[in-house]
Amino acid sequence: MESPELGFTLAYIVFSLCFVFTPNEFRSAGLTIQNLFSSWLGSEDLGFIQYHVRRTSVTVLVHSALPLGYYMGMCIAAPEKKLGFIHQVDGLWRAFLLLSLCLHLASWALVIYWSHSHWCSHPISWTLQVHIQPPHSSWGAVASSINREFRRIDKFATGAPGARVIVTDSWVLKVTTYHVYMALQSECHVTVTESRQHQLNPDSTSPTQILTLRVNSINPAVKSFDIRLNSTEFAEFSEKLNSPIRTSANVVIYQTISELFLETFSAQVDLNQPYILPSGQEIESCIGCMQVPANTKLVRLCCTQSEREREHCQQCFCRPMWCLSCLGRWFASRQDQQRPETWLSSRVPCPTCRAKFCILDICVVR
């Protein structure tokens, strides 16, 4: 039979993991610092910097209270030790209690010091101060700039709560448990320093590649920091980042199966017969992305030896409505993700009229 001390030790470990690592099970139950103190923390969307100044301060207080909470729990879980009577406990437990009290009191003193003059002594405020330059005249103006850009819906954001990566129009941010690292895009350069393969998803046919990127700033007062991204997010990250990304000589960034398929898909379509646009017909924007002109037309061109097989493809009478990239993504999305070797030879319905077609029926509009 397990002793009370062992049982409570296990409970303490679980309790610590709840606040430090916040796994999905605990987050779904609402046992996170962000949820427990949400009324005081405020809204991250309305005040990003102010929210994380308060969040990191509460995190320091909560984490510093864990050893003291362990001692108080042991007073209940192991009454035979008489830990509630300070004068009767042995030297080790007394030293543990003293260190726990000192740690928690020191954290309170630290947070009180940070809070003076509207949190100007907080480490996040110090980080903001090194970015003071025109048009920003104070660290509060820098904070307002970050808050304003964070509210925009076109920002890039990814990662777990303890290691989030955020890229706005002007800033590269890394949110950790105790700090927020930041660098101006105009002053930083990013280098891919490492890549690792992980089989994280048992349902996936290919491993997940995690990239480590180093963010360095030309401002000597700004500390460099590392961020980690899934390789599938690298393209979106690069698109949002204004500066070019360097890659170390020994690092290879692998594309996803979908990206590799799109390259092969485009190369194969280029070999097909082009579609000559009739005179007087105008090209409209692609209805998938609305960013580029529609440049594809489905024309039944495939020819097989079996008439029965040929009946699988149907004539599409839709006008050019899709660009090659969007049509390729539609084609890939309709495939069996566990059998990528069958993608090029398969048939899918037209996204507009549902007439079945294969890759040989896709013509580029000329």
Side-chain angles (χ1 to χ4, degrees):
M1 182 176 180
E2 295 181 349
S3 65
E5 181 175 353
L6 178 58
F8 194 85
T9 300
L10 294 175
Y12 168 71
I13 293 174
V14 173
F15 182 73
S16 301
L17 291 175
C18 170
F19 282 100
V20 179
F21 298 104
T22 58
N24 292 331
E25 292 78 5
F26 293 109
R27 287 203 300 269
S28 62
L31 296 178
T32 63
I33 289 177
Q34 289 88 334
N35 290 338
L36 294 175
F37 299 93
S38 59
S39 59
W40 185 72
L41 294 178
S43 172
E44 184 185 39
D45 291 330
L46 296 180
F48 175 83
I49 293 297
Q50 291 79 1
Y51 174 88
H52 286 286
V53 165
R54 291 189 286 263
R55 179 193 61 80
T56 53
S57 301
V58 172
T59 301
V60 168
L61 293 176
V62 171
H63 289 180
S64 67
L66 292 178
L68 187 60
Y70 173 75
Y71 184 91
M72 297 174 63
M74 286 299 298
C75 292
I76 301 173
E80 70 278 2
K81 294 183 178 294
K82 298 181 180 180
L83 299 180
F85 303 94
I86 306 301
H87 60 283
Q88 296 183 12
V89 300
D90 58 37
L92 289 178
W93 278 109
R94 190 176 301 174
F96 179 81
L97 175 60
L98 179 61
L99 290 175
S100 300
L101 285 172
C102 290
L103 177 63
H104 192 52
L105 291 175
S107 68
W108 272 104
L110 180 63
V111 171
I112 291 173
Y113 167 72
W114 285 349
S115 65
H116 282 170
S117 301
H118 303 286
W119 300 94
C120 67
S121 299
H122 194 282
I124 294 179
S125 302
W126 293 347
T127 305
L128 292 170
Q129 290 173 16
V130 302
H131 290 289
I132 298 177
Q133 56 181 302
H136 307 305
S137 58
S138 65
W139 68 268
V142 179
S144 298
S145 172
I146 296 177
N147 292 343
R148 184 169 55 254
E149 293 190 8
F150 181 80
R151 287 193 291 266
R152 297 173 183 170
I153 62 175
D154 61 341
K155 64 179 178 293
F156 171 83
T158 186
R164 292 174 63 200
V165 177
I166 302 167
V167 182
T168 66
D169 293 339
S170 305
W171 297 91
V172 179
L173 309 170
K174 177 185 177 182
V175 179
T176 65
T177 303
Y178 300 107
H179 194 51
V180 176
Y181 297 90
M182 57 191 72
L184 269 171
Q185 284 206 44
S186 58
E187 295 181 348
C188 74
H189 54 270
V190 181
T191 305
V192 182
T193 59
E194 185 183 15
S195 65
R196 291 185 179 182
Q197 299 284 344
H198 300 276
Q199 191 67 47
L200 299 178
N201 186 1
D203 297 329
S204 175
T205 57
S206 60
T208 299
Q209 184 184 35
I210 303 299
L211 305 176
T212 301
L213 297 89
R214 185 74 170 175
V215 180
N216 297 288
S217 176
I218 60 176
N219 186 343
V222 178
K223 293 183 179 180
S224 302
F225 56 93
D226 292 333
I227 59 178
R228 288 177 173 81
L229 295 174
N230 193 314
S231 60
T232 59
E233 302 170 322
F234 183 73
E236 185 180 357
F237 173 83
S238 304
E239 183 179 353
K240 188 61 181 176
L241 198 67
N242 296 326
S243 57
I245 300 178
R246 306 171 184 175
T247 303
S248 299
N250 59 336
V251 175
V252 177
I253 302 176
Y254 296 101
Q255 293 178 302
T256 64
I257 293 179
S258 297
E259 291 174 334
L260 292 173
F261 172 76
L262 286 178
E263 287 189 358
T264 307
F265 179 87
S266 299
Q268 178 60 51
V269 171
D270 287 339
L271 299 176
N272 295 344
Q273 174 183 323
Y275 175 78
I276 307 302
L277 192 70
S279 59
Q281 183 175 349
E282 297 182 356
I283 293 292
E284 301 178 357
S285 297
C286 169
I287 64 174
C289 63
M290 300 299 292
Q291 300 294 321
V292 297
N295 59 358
T296 59
K297 175 73 170 71
L298 298 181
V299 180
R300 185 182 175 187
L301 297 174
C302 63
C303 182
T304 63
Q305 294 181 352
S306 171
E307 178 68 23
R308 184 178 179 182
E309 290 183 4
R310 191 161 62 244
E311 291 176 352
H312 287 178
C313 287
Q314 303 167 344
Q315 179 62 49
C316 173
F317 297 97
C318 300
R319 67 181 188 279
M321 301 175 66
W322 298 84
C323 68
L324 184 59
S325 178
C326 288
L327 192 62
R329 291 188 176 90
W330 164 263
F331 199 98
S333 68
R334 307 293 294 182
Q335 306 303 318
D336 183 352
Q337 302 300 312
Q338 305 301 320
R339 300 178 61 195
E341 69 277 2
T342 65
W343 289 12
L344 287 175
S345 60
S346 65
R347 295 172 175 82
V348 301
C350 168
T352 308
C353 70
R354 304 301 177 182
K356 286 189 176 182
F357 69 95
C358 66
I359 196 171
L360 298 177
D361 299 330
I362 305 173
C363 302
V364 176
V365 176
R366 301 298 186 193

